[in-house]
Structure formats: C-alpha cells, structure tokens
Amino acid sequence: MEFKNWIKKKFNISTGQSWDNIILFYSEDERTALNKFFELFQEFTQESEENGKHKSTEEQVESPIL
C-alpha cells in the first residue's frame, strides 16, 4: 500500500488531499507535523514489512505537489 493511501486510511480521509496536508491538518504546527511524519512513516514501513510488501522509499512516498 502506498504511503498516501495508508495515511488516508489511518485518518479516515476520503478526499484527494496530499499526505503532507493531511498530516499538517492533524498537527499543531509544521514542527509537530514533521515529527509526526517520521513517526507515521516508521509505523507504515513496519506494517509493510510485516505484510511482506516492503518497497523502496521512492515507491512508498509520492512527492507532495508544491
């Protein structure tokens, strides 16, 4: 599962928002969002490894559109 889809499922979001905007929305500020990103990404990769779906980092995280 891609990181974007995992984040949308984790936060129960069905809109087309990017993963970074979702994390920022549920954070107090940008610093908190950055810390939360690393925590969530670690959780995501652990789940992916447990499910045998480990991909390279480039395949897991789409670059946010700026």
Side-chain angles (χ1 to χ4, degrees), residues 39-57:
E39 292 170 8
L40 290 166
F41 191 71
Q42 182 177 14
E43 183 180 341
F44 168 74
T45 55
Q46 286 175 345
E47 284 184 20
S48 294
E49 288 174 359
E50 289 170 5
N51 294 329
K53 298 179 181 178
H54 186 69
K55 296 180 181 180
S56 69
T57 303

PDB file of all heavy atoms in Angstrom, residues 39-57:
ATOM      1  N   GLU A  39       7.200   9.546  12.638  1.00  0.00           N
ATOM      2  CA  GLU A  39       6.549   8.504  13.434  1.00  0.00           C
ATOM      3  C   GLU A  39       5.613   7.664  12.561  1.00  0.00           C
ATOM      4  O   GLU A  39       5.624   6.430  12.622  1.00  0.00           O
ATOM      5  CB  GLU A  39       5.760   9.128  14.575  1.00  0.00           C
ATOM      6  CG  GLU A  39       6.606   9.775  15.637  1.00  0.00           C
ATOM      7  CD  GLU A  39       5.792  10.589  16.629  1.00  0.00           C
ATOM      8  OE1 GLU A  39       4.538  10.529  16.592  1.00  0.00           O
ATOM      9  OE2 GLU A  39       6.408  11.295  17.450  1.00  0.00           O
ATOM     10  N   LEU A  40       4.805   8.341  11.752  1.00  0.00           N
ATOM     11  CA  LEU A  40       3.857   7.634  10.892  1.00  0.00           C
ATOM     12  C   LEU A  40       4.570   6.815   9.826  1.00  0.00           C
ATOM     13  O   LEU A  40       4.159   5.691   9.525  1.00  0.00           O
ATOM     14  CB  LEU A  40       2.888   8.631  10.237  1.00  0.00           C
ATOM     15  CG  LEU A  40       1.885   9.282  11.184  1.00  0.00           C
ATOM     16  CD1 LEU A  40       1.223  10.477  10.509  1.00  0.00           C
ATOM     17  CD2 LEU A  40       0.844   8.265  11.638  1.00  0.00           C
ATOM     18  N   PHE A  41       5.641   7.376   9.252  1.00  0.00           N
ATOM     19  CA  PHE A  41       6.361   6.642   8.215  1.00  0.00           C
ATOM     20  C   PHE A  41       7.006   5.389   8.789  1.00  0.00           C
ATOM     21  O   PHE A  41       7.010   4.334   8.150  1.00  0.00           O
ATOM     22  CB  PHE A  41       7.404   7.526   7.535  1.00  0.00           C
ATOM     23  CG  PHE A  41       7.967   6.888   6.300  1.00  0.00           C
ATOM     24  CD1 PHE A  41       7.192   6.766   5.165  1.00  0.00           C
ATOM     25  CD2 PHE A  41       9.251   6.395   6.289  1.00  0.00           C
ATOM     26  CE1 PHE A  41       7.699   6.154   4.025  1.00  0.00           C
ATOM     27  CE2 PHE A  41       9.774   5.786   5.162  1.00  0.00           C
ATOM     28  CZ  PHE A  41       8.985   5.665   4.020  1.00  0.00           C
ATOM     29  N   GLN A  42       7.524   5.480  10.011  1.00  0.00           N
ATOM     30  CA  GLN A  42       8.094   4.299  10.657  1.00  0.00           C
ATOM     31  C   GLN A  42       7.009   3.244  10.874  1.00  0.00           C
ATOM     32  O   GLN A  42       7.228   2.060  10.616  1.00  0.00           O
ATOM     33  CB  GLN A  42       8.752   4.673  11.982  1.00  0.00           C
ATOM     34  CG  GLN A  42       9.395   3.492  12.663  1.00  0.00           C
ATOM     35  CD  GLN A  42      10.104   3.883  13.945  1.00  0.00           C
ATOM     36  OE1 GLN A  42       9.928   4.974  14.478  1.00  0.00           O
ATOM     37  NE2 GLN A  42      10.919   2.984  14.450  1.00  0.00           N
ATOM     38  N   GLU A  43       5.852   3.671  11.342  1.00  0.00           N
ATOM     39  CA  GLU A  43       4.735   2.740  11.543  1.00  0.00           C
ATOM     40  C   GLU A  43       4.325   2.102  10.214  1.00  0.00           C
ATOM     41  O   GLU A  43       4.098   0.895  10.127  1.00  0.00           O
ATOM     42  CB  GLU A  43       3.559   3.502  12.153  1.00  0.00           C
ATOM     43  CG  GLU A  43       2.363   2.640  12.475  1.00  0.00           C
ATOM     44  CD  GLU A  43       1.214   3.437  13.083  1.00  0.00           C
ATOM     45  OE1 GLU A  43       1.438   4.557  13.582  1.00  0.00           O
ATOM     46  OE2 GLU A  43       0.087   2.918  13.046  1.00  0.00           O
ATOM     47  N   PHE A  44       4.262   2.911   9.168  1.00  0.00           N
ATOM     48  CA  PHE A  44       3.902   2.423   7.834  1.00  0.00           C
ATOM     49  C   PHE A  44       4.899   1.377   7.336  1.00  0.00           C
ATOM     50  O   PHE A  44       4.508   0.314   6.852  1.00  0.00           O
ATOM     51  CB  PHE A  44       3.837   3.598   6.856  1.00  0.00           C
ATOM     52  CG  PHE A  44       3.770   3.195   5.415  1.00  0.00           C
ATOM     53  CD1 PHE A  44       2.607   2.673   4.878  1.00  0.00           C
ATOM     54  CD2 PHE A  44       4.874   3.342   4.591  1.00  0.00           C
ATOM     55  CE1 PHE A  44       2.548   2.305   3.544  1.00  0.00           C
ATOM     56  CE2 PHE A  44       4.823   2.978   3.263  1.00  0.00           C
ATOM     57  CZ  PHE A  44       3.655   2.453   2.741  1.00  0.00           C
ATOM     58  N   THR A  45       6.201   1.668   7.460  1.00  0.00           N
ATOM     59  CA  THR A  45       7.194   0.717   6.960  1.00  0.00           C
ATOM     60  C   THR A  45       7.195  -0.572   7.774  1.00  0.00           C
ATOM     61  O   THR A  45       7.380  -1.652   7.213  1.00  0.00           O
ATOM     62  CB  THR A  45       8.606   1.333   6.936  1.00  0.00           C
ATOM     63  OG1 THR A  45       8.941   1.834   8.232  1.00  0.00           O
ATOM     64  CG2 THR A  45       8.697   2.450   5.918  1.00  0.00           C
ATOM     65  N   GLN A  46       6.953  -0.467   9.083  1.00  0.00           N
ATOM     66  CA  GLN A  46       6.875  -1.672   9.902  1.00  0.00           C
ATOM     67  C   GLN A  46       5.698  -2.541   9.470  1.00  0.00           C
ATOM     68  O   GLN A  46       5.826  -3.755   9.343  1.00  0.00           O
ATOM     69  CB  GLN A  46       6.750  -1.310  11.382  1.00  0.00           C
ATOM     70  CG  GLN A  46       8.031  -0.811  11.979  1.00  0.00           C
ATOM     71  CD  GLN A  46       7.871  -0.328  13.412  1.00  0.00           C
ATOM     72  OE1 GLN A  46       6.768  -0.100  13.887  1.00  0.00           O
ATOM     73  NE2 GLN A  46       8.980  -0.164  14.093  1.00  0.00           N
ATOM     74  N   GLU A  47       4.553  -1.921   9.241  1.00  0.00           N
ATOM     75  CA  GLU A  47       3.384  -2.677   8.781  1.00  0.00           C
ATOM     76  C   GLU A  47       3.633  -3.283   7.415  1.00  0.00           C
ATOM     77  O   GLU A  47       3.235  -4.415   7.151  1.00  0.00           O
ATOM     78  CB  GLU A  47       2.148  -1.779   8.735  1.00  0.00           C
ATOM     79  CG  GLU A  47       1.567  -1.487  10.087  1.00  0.00           C
ATOM     80  CD  GLU A  47       0.287  -0.679  10.011  1.00  0.00           C
ATOM     81  OE1 GLU A  47      -0.365  -0.651   8.938  1.00  0.00           O
ATOM     82  OE2 GLU A  47      -0.068  -0.056  11.029  1.00  0.00           O
ATOM     83  N   SER A  48       4.291  -2.531   6.539  1.00  0.00           N
ATOM     84  CA  SER A  48       4.585  -3.035   5.196  1.00  0.00           C
ATOM     85  C   SER A  48       5.501  -4.244   5.257  1.00  0.00           C
ATOM     86  O   SER A  48       5.306  -5.226   4.533  1.00  0.00           O
ATOM     87  CB  SER A  48       5.232  -1.940   4.344  1.00  0.00           C
ATOM     88  OG  SER A  48       4.333  -0.897   4.110  1.00  0.00           O
ATOM     89  N   GLU A  49       6.514  -4.178   6.121  1.00  0.00           N
ATOM     90  CA  GLU A  49       7.439  -5.302   6.268  1.00  0.00           C
ATOM     91  C   GLU A  49       6.730  -6.518   6.848  1.00  0.00           C
ATOM     92  O   GLU A  49       6.967  -7.644   6.414  1.00  0.00           O
ATOM     93  CB  GLU A  49       8.621  -4.903   7.147  1.00  0.00           C
ATOM     94  CG  GLU A  49       9.567  -3.950   6.479  1.00  0.00           C
ATOM     95  CD  GLU A  49      10.655  -3.433   7.406  1.00  0.00           C
ATOM     96  OE1 GLU A  49      10.653  -3.811   8.600  1.00  0.00           O
ATOM     97  OE2 GLU A  49      11.493  -2.654   6.941  1.00  0.00           O
ATOM     98  N   GLU A  50       5.849  -6.290   7.814  1.00  0.00           N
ATOM     99  CA  GLU A  50       5.100  -7.395   8.416  1.00  0.00           C
ATOM    100  C   GLU A  50       4.173  -8.056   7.400  1.00  0.00           C
ATOM    101  O   GLU A  50       3.942  -9.254   7.450  1.00  0.00           O
ATOM    102  CB  GLU A  50       4.288  -6.893   9.605  1.00  0.00           C
ATOM    103  CG  GLU A  50       5.135  -6.521  10.799  1.00  0.00           C
ATOM    104  CD  GLU A  50       4.356  -5.806  11.887  1.00  0.00           C
ATOM    105  OE1 GLU A  50       3.124  -5.670  11.763  1.00  0.00           O
ATOM    106  OE2 GLU A  50       4.991  -5.382  12.872  1.00  0.00           O
ATOM    107  N   ASN A  51       3.666  -7.260   6.472  1.00  0.00           N
ATOM    108  CA  ASN A  51       2.764  -7.787   5.448  1.00  0.00           C
ATOM    109  C   ASN A  51       3.518  -8.268   4.214  1.00  0.00           C
ATOM    110  O   ASN A  51       2.892  -8.680   3.240  1.00  0.00           O
ATOM    111  CB  ASN A  51       1.740  -6.721   5.044  1.00  0.00           C
ATOM    112  CG  ASN A  51       0.800  -6.378   6.176  1.00  0.00           C
ATOM    113  OD1 ASN A  51       0.487  -7.217   7.006  1.00  0.00           O
ATOM    114  ND2 ASN A  51       0.347  -5.144   6.217  1.00  0.00           N
ATOM    115  N   GLY A  52       4.849  -8.192   4.233  1.00  0.00           N
ATOM    116  CA  GLY A  52       5.650  -8.664   3.116  1.00  0.00           C
ATOM    117  C   GLY A  52       5.538  -7.797   1.887  1.00  0.00           C
ATOM    118  O   GLY A  52       5.741  -8.250   0.774  1.00  0.00           O
ATOM    119  N   LYS A  53       5.230  -6.536   2.084  1.00  0.00           N
ATOM    120  CA  LYS A  53       5.050  -5.631   0.947  1.00  0.00           C
ATOM    121  C   LYS A  53       6.065  -4.499   0.987  1.00  0.00           C
ATOM    122  O   LYS A  53       5.759  -3.365   0.662  1.00  0.00           O
ATOM    123  CB  LYS A  53       3.636  -5.050   0.965  1.00  0.00           C
ATOM    124  CG  LYS A  53       2.556  -6.080   0.835  1.00  0.00           C
ATOM    125  CD  LYS A  53       1.203  -5.440   0.897  1.00  0.00           C
ATOM    126  CE  LYS A  53       0.112  -6.499   0.796  1.00  0.00           C
ATOM    127  NZ  LYS A  53      -1.220  -5.926   0.905  1.00  0.00           N
ATOM    128  N   HIS A  54       7.280  -4.797   1.399  1.00  0.00           N
ATOM    129  CA  HIS A  54       8.303  -3.762   1.510  1.00  0.00           C
ATOM    130  C   HIS A  54       8.752  -3.324   0.127  1.00  0.00           C
ATOM    131  O   HIS A  54       9.149  -4.127  -0.700  1.00  0.00           O
ATOM    132  CB  HIS A  54       9.498  -4.279   2.314  1.00  0.00           C
ATOM    133  CG  HIS A  54      10.505  -3.215   2.582  1.00  0.00           C
ATOM    134  ND1 HIS A  54      10.269  -2.168   3.427  1.00  0.00           N
ATOM    135  CD2 HIS A  54      11.746  -3.037   2.083  1.00  0.00           C
ATOM    136  CE1 HIS A  54      11.329  -1.389   3.452  1.00  0.00           C
ATOM    137  NE2 HIS A  54      12.237  -1.900   2.651  1.00  0.00           N
ATOM    138  N   LYS A  55       8.660  -2.026  -0.137  1.00  0.00           N
ATOM    139  CA  LYS A  55       9.118  -1.436  -1.390  1.00  0.00           C
ATOM    140  C   LYS A  55      10.175  -0.400  -1.061  1.00  0.00           C
ATOM    141  O   LYS A  55      10.364  -0.034   0.087  1.00  0.00           O
ATOM    142  CB  LYS A  55       7.954  -0.737  -2.104  1.00  0.00           C
ATOM    143  CG  LYS A  55       6.853  -1.655  -2.541  1.00  0.00           C
ATOM    144  CD  LYS A  55       5.778  -0.843  -3.236  1.00  0.00           C
ATOM    145  CE  LYS A  55       4.632  -1.723  -3.675  1.00  0.00           C
ATOM    146  NZ  LYS A  55       3.588  -0.947  -4.343  1.00  0.00           N
ATOM    147  N   SER A  56      10.816   0.102  -2.085  1.00  0.00           N
ATOM    148  CA  SER A  56      11.786   1.157  -1.855  1.00  0.00           C
ATOM    149  C   SER A  56      11.070   2.418  -1.388  1.00  0.00           C
ATOM    150  O   SER A  56       9.880   2.605  -1.615  1.00  0.00           O
ATOM    151  CB  SER A  56      12.563   1.453  -3.146  1.00  0.00           C
ATOM    152  OG  SER A  56      11.712   2.063  -4.087  1.00  0.00           O
ATOM    153  N   THR A  57      11.803   3.293  -0.734  1.00  0.00           N
ATOM    154  CA  THR A  57      11.229   4.539  -0.218  1.00  0.00           C
ATOM    155  C   THR A  57      10.601   5.354  -1.343  1.00  0.00           C
ATOM    156  O   THR A  57       9.544   5.944  -1.186  1.00  0.00           O
ATOM    157  CB  THR A  57      12.309   5.378   0.492  1.00  0.00           C
ATOM    158  OG1 THR A  57      12.876   4.582   1.524  1.00  0.00           O
ATOM    159  CG2 THR A  57      11.739   6.650   1.071  1.00  0.00           C
TER     160      THR A  57
END
